[in-house]
């Protein structure tokens, strides 16, 4: 695909540009020029170098690439399998019963498909919350997959099959870090583990390893039935709460924990779709907004949901507003003005993620920033016009099929709704082989049972308006 070879300048002409700078302005009929891996200019009718790729962005929206700060990419190999799961069923399946079945090639399959899916949906940076790394071979496979797709990724290294103090102390883990984490900005690195609240604080050595390596920790915090305020207290008292720490969900915490997060400068990754269905706690933006804690968005896992952040923005607005109405109605009040606005969730999906990752050079369209951007435009869609409120359009009207062009690190990776230089057929074969292996190893009965959990009995309430003989009484009256 020489047409889109890396290094060739690109200009997107005449779009509605959401630069996601402080004022949340809307620039109409403006060009965005990319040179090398950077945004070179944003402005009307830009002069461009010879050989620049010209992309017509009229009737479209140009915005920064979206950033997902928490996605278990290995699980994409089982897309949709857990649609009817609760968090309990998820834990039983992956943590206790079948997660160990995943071989390195299965992690590779899931990661490859998840990475392709991300760039297709305009999600240019994903934190791979990779807690299926039972061995370093699994970790090598995860990185091989991420490196094979032209997106920007952060490997958040985890292993749910062993205590964090154990796997972070293994010499082969340290060896992996020095071999594979080379400091280039297409592949970042974090440690991913949870703090369970054991009074002995067994996670302490793992935090020390993170500090030693100079990397951030991402942790599922405030998850109903799993992690609580106690873990936050332990982290705080040992000085492990830092500005780079990303607290995932944080949906069942007391104000004291939110105060500690706010005071130490960390951020919260909200996975609204996940919290609503799985039960980690009510999606917390309505509470954490009151504490001034920075927010980023994430979709968690494709074993339930698809990996696009349009859904994340939409459900986050809905959940936040729903809670505001519910709280007001309980007091006999009416919400007359929405506090959470569409432009705010677009910021969380872009700059919020950049901030969480300590990446000032991502998340906005300004000269000098890294060129990760998305053109939302679909001339065949009746939902593409009128374009009156661009932020509202992104949050409530647009969807992944409207992602026309995606640029990552200055390189066009999707154009006119088609991925560029991505072997989707090979990814499909890998995933089919993983599904076949899991299914045959577990046995058909276990496989089907895992996908179709029992439905609890619902008792239909007695209804005072039903009468056994209302028809005959109606006939009599006539
Ligand atoms: Zn998660």
């Amino acid at each position: 695909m020489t047409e889109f070879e890396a290094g060739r300048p690109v200009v997107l002409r005449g779009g509605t540009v959401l630069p996601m700078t402080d004022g949340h302005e809307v620039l109409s009929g403006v060009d965005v020029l990319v040179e090398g891996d950077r945004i070179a200019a944003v402005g009307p009718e830009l002069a461009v170098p010879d050989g620049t790729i010209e992309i017509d962005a009229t009737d479209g929206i140009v915005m920064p690439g979206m950033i997902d700060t928490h996605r278990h990419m290995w699980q994409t190999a089982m897309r949709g399998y857990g649609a009817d799961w609760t968090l309990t069923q998820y834990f039983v399946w992956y943590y206790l019963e079948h997660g160990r079945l995943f071989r390195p090639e299965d992690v590779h399959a899931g990661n490859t498909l998840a990475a392709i899916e991300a760039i297709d949906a305009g999600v240019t940076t994903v934190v791979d919350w990779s807690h299926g790394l039972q061995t370093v071979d699994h970790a090598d496979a995860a990185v091989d997959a991420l490196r094979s797709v032209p997106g920007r990724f952060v490997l958040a290294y985890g292993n749910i099959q062993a205590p964090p103090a154990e796997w972070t102390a293994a010499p082969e883990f340290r060896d992996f870090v020095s071999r594979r984490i080379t400091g280039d900005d297409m592949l970042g690195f974090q440690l991913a583990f949870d703090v369970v609240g054991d009074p002995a604080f067994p996670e302490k050595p793992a935090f020390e390893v993170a500090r030693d390596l100079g990397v951030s920790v991402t942790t599922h915090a405030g998850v109903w039935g799993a992690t609580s305020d106690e873990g936050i207290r332990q982290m705080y008292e040992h000085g492990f709460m830092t500005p780079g720490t990303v607290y995932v969900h944080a949906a069942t915490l007391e104000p004291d924990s939110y105060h500690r997060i706010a005071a130490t400068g960390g951020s919260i990754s909200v996975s609204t779709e996940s919290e609503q269905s799985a039960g980690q706690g009510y999606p917390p933006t309505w509470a954490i907004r009151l504490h001034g804690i920075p927010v980023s968005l994430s979709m968690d896992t494709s074993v339930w949901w698809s990996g696009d952040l349009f859904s994340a923005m939409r459900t986050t607005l809905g959940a936040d507003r729903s809670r505001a109405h519910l709280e007001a109605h309980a007091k006999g009040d009416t919400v007359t003005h929405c506090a959470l606005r569409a432009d705010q969730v677009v910021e969380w999906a872009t700059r919020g993620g950049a901030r969480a990752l300590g990446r000032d050079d991502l998340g906005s369209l300004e000269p000098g920033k890294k060129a990760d951007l998305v053109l939302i435009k679909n001339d065949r869609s009746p939902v593409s016009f009128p374009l009156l409120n661009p932020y509202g359009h992104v949050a409530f009207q647009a969807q992944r099929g409207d992602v026309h062009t995606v640029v990552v690190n200055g390189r066009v990776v999707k154009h006119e709704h088609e991925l560029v230089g991505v072997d989707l057929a090979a990814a499909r074969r890998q995933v089919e082989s993983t599904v076949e292996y899991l299914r045959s190893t577990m046995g058909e009965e276990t496989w089907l049972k895992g996908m179709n959990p029992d439905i609890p009995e619902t008792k239909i309430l007695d209804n005072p308006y039903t009468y056994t003989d209302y028809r005959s009484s109606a006939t009599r009256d006539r």
Side-chain angles (χ1 to χ4, degrees):
M1 278 287 189
T2 51
E3 190 192 349
F4 295 117
E5 69 195 338
R8 219 179 134 185
V10 184
V11 67
L12 294 97
R13 293 283 193 197
T16 295
V17 177
L18 308 180
M20 300 319 297
T21 44
D22 290 340
H24 289 193
E25 52 274 272
V26 174
L27 310 175
S28 296
V30 156
D31 302 345
V32 177
L33 175 64
V34 172
E35 289 187 76
D37 60 359
R38 307 273 168 177
I39 309 277
V42 178
E45 294 171 31
L46 296 174
V48 302
D50 286 345
T52 298
I53 300 165
E54 297 261 350
I55 295 172
D56 178 10
T58 47
D59 300 327
I61 296 172
V62 182
M63 59 180 272
M66 289 167 271
I67 297 175
D68 182 332
T69 51
H70 154 243
R71 182 180 304 193
H72 308 294
M73 293 172 77
W74 60 294
Q75 296 173 351
T76 301
M78 293 175 62
R79 180 190 303 290
Y81 179 93
D84 294 319
W85 279 357
T86 60
L87 191 61
T88 303
Q89 285 153 346
Y90 169 88
F91 283 147
V92 167
W93 205 101
Y94 281 109
Y95 286 58
L96 301 179
E97 293 185 346
H98 309 300
R100 272 193 188 82
L101 292 177
F102 274 70
R103 304 160 300 176
E105 60 259 53
D106 304 315
V107 169
H108 190 280
N111 269 32
T112 303
L113 184 59
I116 294 172
E117 175 182 5
I119 58 171
D120 182 64
V123 181
T124 51
T125 300
V126 183
V127 174
D128 178 18
W129 220 104
S130 195
H131 55 359
L133 307 182
Q134 306 170 60
T135 70
V136 162
D137 291 341
H138 290 75
D140 276 311
V143 169
D144 289 344
L146 299 179
R147 290 284 196 192
S148 73
V149 176
R152 201 182 291 282
F153 302 101
V154 174
L155 179 72
Y157 194 118
N159 176 5
I160 49 177
Q161 305 299 344
E166 189 180 305
W167 58 261
T168 54
E172 60 270 26
F173 166 74
R174 288 301 189 108
D175 175 60
F176 167 86
V177 175
S178 52
R179 276 190 299 110
R180 302 304 301 267
I181 307 303
T182 50
D184 81 277
D185 68 11
M186 297 306 287
L187 185 70
F189 190 65
Q190 296 181 338
L191 294 192
F193 57 86
D194 298 340
V195 181
V196 296
D198 178 333
F201 193 30
E203 299 84 7
K204 184 166 177 266
F207 279 106
E208 287 164 347
V209 170
R211 187 153 63 192
D212 192 32
L213 292 170
V215 300
S216 295
V217 171
T218 174
T219 187
H220 293 110
V223 172
W224 180 261
T227 58
S228 69
D229 298 289
E230 181 59 13
I232 297 288
R233 190 187 63 75
Q234 290 174 338
M235 287 175 66
Y236 184 82
E237 288 176 359
H238 288 84
F240 295 130
M241 292 177 74
T242 70
T245 309
V246 177
Y247 306 85
V248 176
H249 303 305
T252 54
L253 296 175
E254 292 294 327
D256 183 64
S257 289
Y258 290 135
H259 287 318
R260 292 180 201 254
I261 293 171
T264 51
S267 66
I268 293 176
S269 175
V270 176
S271 307
T272 303
E273 277 187 287
S274 183
E275 289 135 20
Q276 287 179 322
S277 255
Q280 292 90 343
Y282 197 91
T285 56
W286 65 282
I288 60 188
R289 285 193 287 113
L290 305 177
H291 293 270
I293 300 169
V295 174
S296 63
L297 300 184
S298 57
M299 58 67 58
D300 203 347
T301 166
S302 287
V303 80
W304 276 278
W305 308 283
S306 89
D308 75 84
L309 290 194
F310 296 108
S311 300
M313 288 187 272
R314 192 172 303 177
T315 52
T316 300
L317 264 182
D320 193 290
R321 291 175 177 179
S322 177
R323 183 71 183 226
H325 292 301
L326 189 70
E327 301 270 328
H329 297 176
K331 291 185 288 189
D333 292 339
T334 301
V335 175
T336 59
H337 292 69
C338 287
L340 183 63
R341 312 299 279 240
D343 61 323
Q344 185 63 59
V345 294
V346 178
E347 170 166 321
W348 287 343
T350 53
R351 253 180 113 180
R355 193 198 172 285
L357 301 179
R359 293 290 306 255
D360 284 348
D361 57 344
L362 301 177
S364 64
L365 301 182
E366 298 170 272
K369 302 275 171 140
K370 284 280 184 176
D372 290 7
L373 53 88
V374 178
L375 167 61
I376 297 165
K377 165 173 166 147
N378 188 347
D379 294 337
R380 285 166 297 187
S381 168
V383 184
S384 63
F385 62 90
L387 190 51
L388 306 177
N389 177 341
Y391 288 105
H393 198 93
V394 171
F396 276 139
Q397 308 288 333
Q399 46 137 325
R400 66 158 60 237
D402 302 327
V403 173
H404 175 288
T405 294
V406 180
V407 175
V408 183
N409 210 40
R411 176 174 167 192
V412 177
V413 301
K414 185 180 185 185
H415 182 241
E416 291 184 353
H417 305 280
E418 296 283 342
L419 289 163
V420 175
V422 164
D423 192 347
L424 192 59
R428 178 192 288 269
R429 284 193 298 275
Q430 278 191 54
V431 166
E432 283 172 353
S433 145
T434 286
V435 168
E436 169 54 31
Y437 154 75
L438 289 172
R439 199 167 177 154
S440 58
T441 308
M442 289 169 62
E444 196 62 11
E445 195 185 333
T446 309
W447 171 265
L448 290 175
K449 205 157 176 275
M451 188 162 50
N452 300 288
D454 294 339
I455 305 173
E457 213 173 303
T458 302
K459 185 183 181 313
I460 303 297
L461 300 174
D462 292 335
N463 182 340
Y465 297 102
T466 53
Y467 304 101
T468 48
D469 62 345
Y470 73 97
R471 280 192 196 82
S472 58
S473 74
T475 312
R476 245 194 337 268
D477 289 350
R478 188 143 35 102

